[in-house]
Amino acid sequence: MSATVSALFRIVHTVCSHDCPDSCAVLVTVNEEGRAVKVQGDPSQPVTQGFLCGKVAKYLDRVYAPGRLLYPLKRKAGVAKGPLERGREHEAFERISWDEALEGIAGRLQRISDEYGPESILPYSYAGTIGVLGYGSMDRRFFHRLGASQLDRTICAEAGGVAWNLVYGKKFGTPIEDFRLSKLIVAWGANIHGNNIHLWPMVEQARRNGARLIVIDPYRTRTAALADWHIAIRPGTDGALALGLMHVILREGLEDRAYIDAMTHGFDRLAERVRDYTPERVAAWTGMTAAEVEQLAREYATTRPTALRLNYGMQRSENGGTAARAIAMLPALTGAWKHRGGGGQLSTSGAFPWDKQAVERPDLALASPLGRLARVVNMSALGQALTELGQSPDAKAEDGPAVHALFVYNSNPGAVAPNQNAVRRGMERPDLFTVVHDLFFTDTTDYADYILPATTFLEHTDIQGAYGHYFVQLSQQAIEAPGEARQNVWLFGQLAQRMGFTEECFRDTAEDIIRQALAIGADGHSTNAGMEHITLEDLKEQGHIPLSFHRDPEKQPFLPYTAGPFATPSGKIEFASETLAAQGLDPLPGFVPPTESRWGVAAKRFPLEFLSRKSDNYMNSTFANLDGHRKMEARTSQRLEMHAEDARARGIADGDAVRIFNERGSLKLTALVNGSVPAGVVAAHMDWAKLSPDGANVNALTSERLTDLGAAATFYSTLVEVAKA
Ligand SMILES: Nc1nc2c(c(=O)[nH]1)N[C@H]1C(S)=C(S)[C@@H](COP(=O)(O)OP(=O)(O)OC[C@H]3O[C@@H](n4cnc5c(=O)[nH]c(N)nc54)[C@H](O)[C@@H]3O)O[C@H]1N2
Ligand SMILES: Nc1nc2c(c(=O)[nH]1)N[C@H]1C(S)=C(S)[C@@H](COP(=O)(O)OP(=O)(O)OC[C@H]3O[C@@H](n4cnc5c(=O)[nH]c(N)nc54)[C@H](O)[C@@H]3O)O[C@H]1N2
Ligand code: SF4
Ligand SMILES: [Mo]
């Protein structure tokens, strides 16, 4: 909707496209000169409830930031790739026209494809925008048709996602609005205040009605500090705790037999397995007492309704997949799903069945020089992909060619990818052709041959679901893009045409692709399951429309996983997985401590467990370049949070300069002894490498080791040592 408020102002419905479960409905006020003058949360959207987080409340600082990239840029001849001083990046580049940029890039990609095969081109992208179009549409079509390597997007949620789907088949969860009805909320590896702020009013309302909040997080977040019980569990031991809770629940007969019999598969084997996980053993791993494990189990199993907010924090460990899988089984064991306000939420993304085939067109791979879908490269091992893959003399033929072109968009791997030093060695290769599409100079653009200017969600049209709620939302363009900034859809459509791809789909507009994503039928309604009541016209009018099962929650509350069959092989909720067994893996959850943990061999040299956490006032690396956001983050920015005992043992006092290091890298930070971490654990927040004292950020220390399920990144399984600098 673009309602006219007065002759002078328009209000436009947009959606915050940052990688956040809340996907807020944002109203943008635009003045008669076409300038956005205000952003506010839509009061009519039941999750947004009229407010935005601190990061996006200041969004016009980003939209109108003086540093916005406005024109295509090309690296000047003879300027080597590598870190550039902030504010002087433009000196390494020259301004060119879009025409020159598109010609130059298309020509080079063609030559690389001809010489090394199209799989030597690696697109690298993640969730700079989670709009359906921005996240993966024309770009996918382009890279499929080109025959470029496919990117396995594992950097965030794959371990937990695969785990959840092994148990339940599809990612649904307790509606966020229903958490207000809970009597016990367990935030498990979920930083609600920092990362999921729109859940907080629901938590507060539940607590006013007598609910308790338990937070399981090694770090004392603001959410943890406000909880009734903060369990500062040791990193990477959540799987053990979940198995211990099951042990107590079954020992004391607190499970829901009727639910288990009707809905689940493999219960007897699970029951046998958890017999080994006594509270005493679990206490030794987790750092809790046996009595605490028992207390948590009893409270969890006897309170109705009980909801888990399981977020992605606890699955960024080597054993994070199995941990998430074990935790996901808890509400199935106690039948918590049966009660409104009970159950749990990891993600709601499974509820949005966009027509991905139409949007991404994987069939175009058949028209590529390969004639098939290309190889898959794991984004969580980018360092290896750029420095090793296909490069050693004894590289295996089936690995495919070395990477010769890297096309980055929606992502800042120079800051967010693990094992930063390897990533940089790769991106420094003079023979690697690198294109970056972004809104600012970043840690990654310092390595680019071409930089292309991108748009904010105020400047383009997109459609969005959410991974934390059940609303379909249309984001309408509110203002003109500044300079020559262009939307992802436009960029990849243009490039396709320059490459001579004649398929009609490369001429689709954003609105065409929105219709395809909704699979609009002859009568104007979506034909996607759960979206049949939705038309594009209604979306334009209303901005947000709930999925069908969530239209009238008071009369017809949505209770996930209360009616089968489920989308698992057995049609039941799976405690035991034959899928895993067929892969030679343990069909049941079990606990193995991470190799990079206090139990691992490397702990002799690097005895501290390192949490390289997100910043509450940035979005991963986004916003870290803005002064206002930096000010909000000042308290913990460039600090290493330590326990007093660990500091004392190393002769370190609060405020001292320290060096933190392991075999992969090192950085300088300032010690902050503030009670936020237990002994044996240190923590620091992610910032831009180029804005950090010695030009590296926390990912100089993290590894490319992958999780047990989902082949995802293991940011929170990292060992380090710290010394006074
Ligand atoms: N402000 C802000 N909001 C964000 C983001 C941001 O960067 N800033 N990022 C967005 C993105 S990309 C995502 S994926 C979501 C993620 O949101 P969350 O899932 O909440 O992810 P994290 O912040 O990685 O981790 C949550 C908590 O898990 C804790 N943790 C670490 N290791 C362990 C462990 O072994 N066990 C347990 N129990 N807890 C552990 C961390 O200390 C952290 O406080 O947030 C999104 N929202
Ligand atoms: N140590 C450590 N590392 C982590 C994490 C952690 O907790 N600790 N978290 C991990 C997680 S969960 C995630 S999801 C990843 C996130 O990694 P990324 O997805 O790379 O996230 P951002 O750092 O936000 O970078 C997104 C970039 O996309 C750009 N962008 C925004 N909108 C658009 C657009 O429309 N078009 C284009 N072309 N660009 C756009 C932004 O300006 C920004 O530079 O980081 C991971 N890295
Ligand atoms: S980052 Fe999250 S909380 Fe903030 S405005 Fe966007 S969707 Fe809402
Ligand atoms: Mo993420």
Side-chain angles (χ1 to χ4, degrees):
M1 179 179 64
S2 179
T4 307
V5 181
S6 72
L8 302 179
F9 295 97
R10 288 180 299 132
I11 291 186
V12 185
H13 273 284
T14 65
V15 184
C16 174
S17 63
H18 289 284
D19 186 359
C20 168
D22 299 1
S23 283
C24 290
V26 182
L27 300 178
V28 181
T29 307
V30 182
N31 73 11
E32 64 178 346
E33 278 109 55
R35 192 176 168 91
V37 292
K38 186 174 166 191
V39 294
Q40 68 190 111
D42 184 345
S44 76
Q45 213 276 23
V47 179
T48 308
Q49 294 196 71
F51 78 96
L52 302 173
C53 67
K55 306 175 289 295
V56 174
K58 298 157 74 75
Y59 208 67
L60 298 181
D61 289 359
R62 176 169 164 88
V63 173
Y64 295 114
R68 277 288 297 270
L69 294 170
L70 301 176
Y71 311 103
L73 299 170
K74 185 181 181 191
R75 181 171 293 273
K76 287 181 183 161
V79 179
K81 297 177 182 182
L84 297 165
E85 193 185 320
R86 188 182 184 211
R88 302 186 58 178
E89 293 96 337
H90 58 277
E91 291 171 17
F93 297 91
E94 60 191 327
R95 178 178 168 183
I96 56 171
S97 68
W98 266 108
D99 235 21
E100 286 172 274
L102 294 166
E103 275 307 312
I105 295 166
R108 186 77 185 267
L109 291 179
Q110 188 63 58
R111 287 197 297 280
I112 289 171
S113 173
D114 292 345
E115 188 167 349
Y116 305 103
E119 286 173 309
S120 65
I121 300 166
L122 177 65
Y124 192 94
S125 67
Y126 198 62
T129 163
I130 59 170
V132 172
L133 273 50
Y135 183 69
S137 63
M138 196 64 91
D139 51 317
R140 299 302 181 97
R141 295 175 182 180
F142 173 71
F143 289 115
H144 282 314
R145 175 67 181 77
L146 187 61
S149 287
Q150 302 185 81
L151 186 73
D152 197 2
R153 282 174 153 177
T154 57
I155 204 157
C156 173
E158 276 301 287
V162 167
W164 189 274
N165 286 343
L166 280 165
V167 180
Y168 293 106
K170 254 193 187 155
K171 281 185 275 180
F172 285 93
T174 307
I176 175 173
E177 302 93 317
D178 285 0
F179 275 70
R180 69 182 107 200
L181 303 173
S182 304
K183 288 291 178 224
L184 173 64
I185 296 171
V186 182
W188 199 322
N191 176 11
I192 299 175
H193 258 277
N195 302 356
N196 180 200
I197 188 65
H198 291 82
L199 177 55
W200 189 250
M202 318 294 175
V203 174
E204 281 191 317
Q205 198 174 331
R207 293 175 94 185
R208 279 198 295 275
N209 295 325
R212 267 168 55 88
L213 172 68
I214 299 177
V215 172
I216 306 176
D217 192 323
Y219 183 89
R220 195 164 177 81
T221 59
R222 199 162 127 70
T223 318
L226 291 167
D228 297 290
W229 185 11
H230 172 207
I231 300 171
I233 191 171
R234 287 184 183 143
T237 64
D238 304 87
L241 177 56
L243 291 160
L245 298 180
M246 294 188 208
H247 173 101
V248 178
I249 289 168
L250 297 183
R251 190 181 71 192
E252 303 192 355
L254 301 176
E255 75 275 19
D256 182 336
R257 277 298 170 142
Y259 183 89
I260 291 169
D261 290 346
M263 302 289 175
T264 71
H265 166 86
F267 172 73
D268 293 337
R269 279 180 283 166
L270 178 72
E272 186 164 337
R273 168 62 58 89
V274 303
R275 227 169 274 148
D276 297 342
Y277 289 87
T278 60
E280 292 70 26
R281 277 184 84 201
V282 168
W285 280 311
T286 55
M288 300 165 72
T289 65
E292 284 172 333
V293 175
E294 287 172 343
Q295 185 194 331
L296 180 62
R298 290 187 195 119
E299 191 172 341
Y300 176 75
T302 59
T303 311
R304 307 268 186 283
T306 286
L308 296 177
R309 179 52 164 130
L310 161 70
N311 214 331
Y312 288 106
M314 55 70 227
Q315 49 100 67
R316 305 191 207 290
S317 294
E318 284 169 41
N319 58 14
T322 304
R325 187 165 162 248
I327 298 167
M329 291 174 186
L330 290 168
L333 213 56
T334 61
W337 296 111
K338 295 192 308 197
H339 311 279
R340 189 171 175 208
Q345 191 192 96
L346 172 68
S347 166
T348 57
S349 60
F352 297 89
W354 307 110
D355 189 344
K356 285 271 175 68
Q357 298 289 316
V359 171
E360 301 181 0
R361 296 291 306 272
D363 57 294
L364 290 168
L366 300 174
S368 76
L370 298 171
R372 56 165 169 84
L373 281 169
R375 72 167 172 197
V376 176
V377 174
N378 190 326
M379 73 182 299
S380 300
L382 179 63
Q384 285 167 38
L386 297 181
T387 60
E388 291 171 28
L389 180 66
Q391 292 183 34
S392 80
D394 48 25
K396 289 185 274 192
E398 63 266 29
D399 288 347
V403 174
H404 289 277
L406 179 68
F407 201 126
V408 181
Y409 57 104
N410 297 349
S411 187
N412 183 10
V416 305
N419 200 7
Q420 189 162 85
N421 290 316
V423 170
R424 286 179 166 188
R425 274 198 306 280
M427 293 197 304
E428 263 165 18
R429 277 171 42 201
D431 62 313
L432 181 72
F433 175 62
T434 299
V435 180
V436 181
H437 186 221
D438 205 313
L439 293 84
F440 293 94
F441 287 116
T442 65
D443 283 329
T444 307
T445 55
D446 286 354
Y447 301 84
D449 292 282
Y450 286 87
I451 304 176
L452 307 172
T455 42
T456 68
F457 69 82
L458 271 61
E459 298 150 16
H460 60 235
T461 298
D462 208 328
I463 189 163
Q464 201 164 308
Y467 64 96
H469 64 64
Y470 291 120
F471 291 82
V472 173
Q473 306 187 101
L474 187 71
S475 194
Q476 307 200 60
Q477 182 171 353
I479 56 174
E480 290 301 319
E484 296 176 1
R486 294 288 182 270
Q487 169 174 22
N488 298 11
V489 167
W490 182 91
L491 165 62
F492 291 103
Q494 290 293 313
L495 265 180
Q497 292 173 44
R498 298 285 167 147
M499 300 284 303
F501 302 161
T502 51
E503 289 83 356
E504 262 311 299
C505 68
F506 290 115
R507 297 176 196 279
D508 283 347
T509 61
E511 185 161 327
D512 293 334
I513 305 177
I514 289 172
R515 289 180 185 279
Q516 293 155 9
L518 286 167
I520 296 289
D523 68 351
H525 286 79
S526 170
T527 57
N528 293 335
M531 299 185 189
E532 297 90 343
H533 58 298
I534 296 179
T535 67
L536 187 54
E537 291 63 38
D538 288 347
L539 273 175
K540 283 182 181 167
E541 199 55 43
Q542 297 159 35
H544 48 87
I545 301 180
L547 293 169
S548 57
F549 58 79
H550 195 52
R551 286 165 89 182
D552 193 354
E554 295 319 313
K555 284 212 193 87
Q556 260 190 315
F558 175 55
L559 298 177
Y561 311 118
T562 47
F566 303 105
T568 55
S570 63
K572 304 262 181 161
I573 296 169
E574 299 199 339
F575 292 132
S577 166
E578 315 317 326
T579 308
L580 291 178
Q583 294 166 26
L585 299 170
D586 188 349
L588 295 164
F591 179 70
V592 184
T595 57
E596 270 210 48
S597 72
R598 63 187 74 206
W599 294 279
V601 286
K604 286 203 183 69
R605 280 194 298 153
F606 307 114
L608 298 169
E609 291 168 325
F610 178 48
L611 299 178
S612 57
R613 300 176 62 260
K614 302 170 191 308
S615 298
D616 284 357
N617 299 294
Y618 309 150
M619 174 62 66
N620 300 305
S621 76
T622 303
F623 300 110
N625 59 320
L626 302 176
D627 292 341
H629 290 74
R630 291 194 78 75
K631 266 197 207 106
M632 297 197 292
E633 194 59 31
R635 197 179 57 82
T636 51
S637 175
Q638 303 299 337
R639 299 290 190 282
L640 181 71
E641 296 173 81
M642 298 186 80
H643 190 269
E645 223 171 79
D646 296 322
R648 206 177 313 120
R650 291 163 179 78
I652 293 167
D654 186 62
D656 280 352
V658 294
R659 198 168 69 83
I660 162 168
F661 58 96
N662 61 20
E663 73 269 37
R664 290 176 292 270
S666 103
L667 29 139
K668 279 198 218 97
L669 295 169
T670 305
L672 180 61
V673 183
N674 62 353
S676 66
V677 285
V681 178
V682 292
H685 291 84
M686 185 153 61
D687 199 336
W688 277 15
K690 66 191 302 173
L691 298 180
S692 305
D694 48 1
N697 78 3
V698 291
N699 280 319
L701 300 160
T702 56
S703 82
E704 292 174 85
R705 203 175 284 120
L706 303 175
T707 53
D708 54 350
L709 298 174
T714 56
F715 295 110
Y716 299 155
S717 292
T718 301
L719 285 172
V720 297
E721 179 55 294
V722 177
K724 199 165 160 165

